Amino acid sequence: MISRSSAPAPLTVLGIETSCDETAAAVVRLDADGRAHVLSNIIRSQASEHAAFGGVVPEIAARAHISLLDRIVQSAMSEAGTGWDDLDAIAATAGPGLIGGVIVGLMTAKAVAMAAGKPLVAVNHLEGHALTARLTEDLAFPYLLLLVSGGHTQFLLVEGVGTYRRLGSTIDDAVGEAFDKTAKLLGLAYPGGPAVEQAAGNSADPTRFALPRPMLDRPGIDMSFAGLKTAVRTAAHAAAPLSPADVADLCAAFQSAVADVIGEKSRRALALFSEAYPGTPPVLVVAGGVAANGAIRQRLSQMVGEAGARLAAPPARLCTDNAAMIAWAGIERLRDAAARGESIDDRAVPPRPRWPLDANAAALLGSGRKGAKA
C-alpha cells in the first residue's frame, strides 16, 4: 500500500495479460485516500510447455491461453473478494506481443466488459512495465525508464501517462533474448535468464573468460548484445567439452559483461535526463523481466549511488509479465482521462503484434533498425 499526495476517485480494475507465455489476471484497487492495493495477482507460467523447444512456440502459447484464461480470471476475482459490480473497468493487454495470445486476452476482456457493462481499457504492454514503479512507490513524473525484457531494451523519458520519449535502445538483440540464447547455447534450461543467473551463482569466476563490452567505446546510449552472444559461443567452443565449472564461469562472465554495459549506458542516460530536466531529482526506474536479475540490480544500485540519483525497481514478481501492472496501467489511464474530463472505452481497439510506446519509434521502425522492436 503506497501513500500518494493526491486524492483520486477510488477505482477497482481487473487486469488481463496474455502477450507471451504467462496467462495472468489481477485485481488492483486505488482507494480514495490514494493508497494502492494489489488484491490478487494470479500468474500461470507456460515455461514447462515450451521448455522442450528452448523458447516460446506461439501456437502452443495461444492454445494454453485459451485453456487457462477463464479459470485464472475467476481465481483472481475470487482471491480479491470482488464481484463484477465492484469493478470500475476491465484492462487488458492489446499489444505488443505474440498476436495469438494478445487476441485471446483482449477478446476475453471485451466479452467480460460487455457482459458486465464496464468500460474496457486497452493497455500497451510496455506502458504496463513503464508505470509499475508508480504502483509500488510514491513516484512523480518525469523519470528515466530502463526497460529490459526478452523483446525490448530501451531508455525512455517517462513524462506522463501516454507521454514517452525514447533516448536509445539496442541496435540488435534485446538483452533478455541474449540471456535466453546464451542459456540454450550452454545447455541450460528455459527460461534462460533465471538459468544463467543461477548457474553464475556466487562462486563462479566472472574474469576467467574475457568477454567484450559492446559499444562502450562509442558515445551515446545505444546498446548491442549480438556480438556478446557470439563471443560466448566462441569461448564455449574453445573450452569444449564444457564442465559444470566452465558453464558457471561463462555465465558469470556473460552476466558481468551485460551488467557493465547496462550500468555505464544508464549512467549516460541519467546525464541526458538531467540535461532535459535541470533541477529535477534524477530517478532511474528499471522494469521488465531482466530487471529481476540480481547482478544487474546491484550494478545499477551502485551506479545511481555514485551519480547521486535514485533507483526505483519494482519487486521481482512485478518485473516479469503480470496482470497487476496491466490493471494499474488501466487505473493510470482512467485517472488521466478523468482529469481531462474524458472517458475511456476501447472496445473497438484491435489486437496489435507491434505497438510502439514512444512517438519517435515509427521513424526508427521505418528505417529498418532492428533495435526498434515494439
Side-chain angles (χ1 to χ4, degrees):
M1 298 186 297
I2 305 299
S3 176
R4 303 178 192 280
S5 56
S6 59
L11 289 168
T12 302
V13 171
L14 167 68
I16 294 174
E17 157 61 22
T18 56
S19 66
C20 191
D21 62 335
E22 281 87 15
T23 310
V27 178
V28 176
R29 175 175 294 155
L30 182 67
D31 286 344
D33 63 1
R35 297 173 71 83
H37 309 259
V38 178
L39 303 183
S40 64
N41 190 24
I42 309 297
I43 305 170
R44 166 56 160 84
S45 171
Q46 299 175 13
S48 60
E49 285 92 332
H50 302 283
F53 305 96
V56 179
V57 180
E59 293 82 359
I60 293 175
R63 292 190 188 113
H65 290 311
I66 292 171
S67 174
L68 296 166
L69 185 55
D70 288 352
R71 294 195 301 273
I72 288 175
V73 168
Q74 192 59 53
S75 294
M77 293 290 289
S78 177
E79 183 175 306
T82 55
W84 303 113
D85 290 343
D86 299 318
L87 298 176
D88 293 288
I90 316 297
T93 297
L98 301 177
I99 190 61
V102 174
I103 289 172
V104 173
L106 185 59
M107 294 303 105
T108 298
K110 289 183 178 185
V112 171
M114 184 173 296
K118 306 293 180 180
L120 175 75
V121 184
V123 173
N124 185 314
H125 176 85
L126 305 183
E127 186 166 43
H129 284 302
L131 299 175
T132 299
R134 284 171 49 86
L135 167 63
T136 58
E137 301 193 30
D138 194 357
L139 180 64
F141 299 119
Y143 53 83
L144 174 68
L145 171 68
L146 168 61
L147 178 59
V148 279
S149 68
H152 302 87
T153 301
Q154 52 192 241
F155 290 103
L156 298 122
L157 291 178
V158 181
E159 299 174 310
V161 177
T163 307
Y164 310 94
R165 281 197 286 153
R166 189 186 305 191
L167 299 177
S169 65
T170 177
I171 64 171
D172 42 54
D173 292 352
V175 64
E177 181 182 356
F179 267 97
D180 285 341
K181 290 181 178 179
T182 295
K184 188 173 183 178
L185 168 69
L186 297 177
L188 299 177
Y190 174 83
V196 169
E197 183 175 15
Q198 182 177 3
N202 298 318
S203 59
D205 181 4
T207 65
R208 179 183 161 202
F209 293 96
L211 298 181
R213 271 61 175 164
M215 297 184 68
L216 279 193
D217 59 343
R218 302 184 192 180
I221 60 174
D222 281 344
M223 293 163 281
S224 169
F225 296 103
L228 177 58
K229 178 187 62 184
T230 301
V232 172
R233 179 184 293 109
T234 300
H237 286 170
L242 297 177
S243 69
D246 294 331
V247 171
D249 290 346
L250 274 167
C251 286
F254 169 80
Q255 188 171 254
S256 179
V258 170
D260 284 349
V261 170
I262 288 179
E264 172 58 22
K265 296 293 185 174
S266 296
R267 185 190 64 77
R268 298 179 192 178
L270 277 171
L272 293 178
F273 176 89
S274 294
E275 289 178 12
Y277 295 99
T280 299
V283 179
L284 172 65
V285 171
V286 57
V290 181
N293 180 279
I296 291 174
R297 284 198 183 212
Q298 183 177 7
R299 188 64 53 85
L300 290 174
S301 180
Q302 176 186 351
M303 182 277 300
V304 296
E306 295 169 351
R310 169 188 165 198
L311 178 66
R317 70 182 185 280
L318 295 180
C319 288
T320 53
D321 291 350
N322 66 91
M325 72 178 191
I326 302 303
W328 176 250
I331 288 173
E332 291 266 36
R333 286 198 54 213
L334 289 165
R335 292 175 62 191
D336 183 67
R340 292 181 279 107
E342 300 174 0
S343 60
I344 296 177
D345 195 352
D346 292 335
R347 295 185 200 179
V349 171
R352 302 170 181 175
R354 307 187 93 182
W355 189 1
L357 187 60
D358 53 311
N360 66 324
L364 295 175
L365 288 169
S367 72
R369 176 174 163 181
K370 189 177 179 184
K373 291 179 181 179

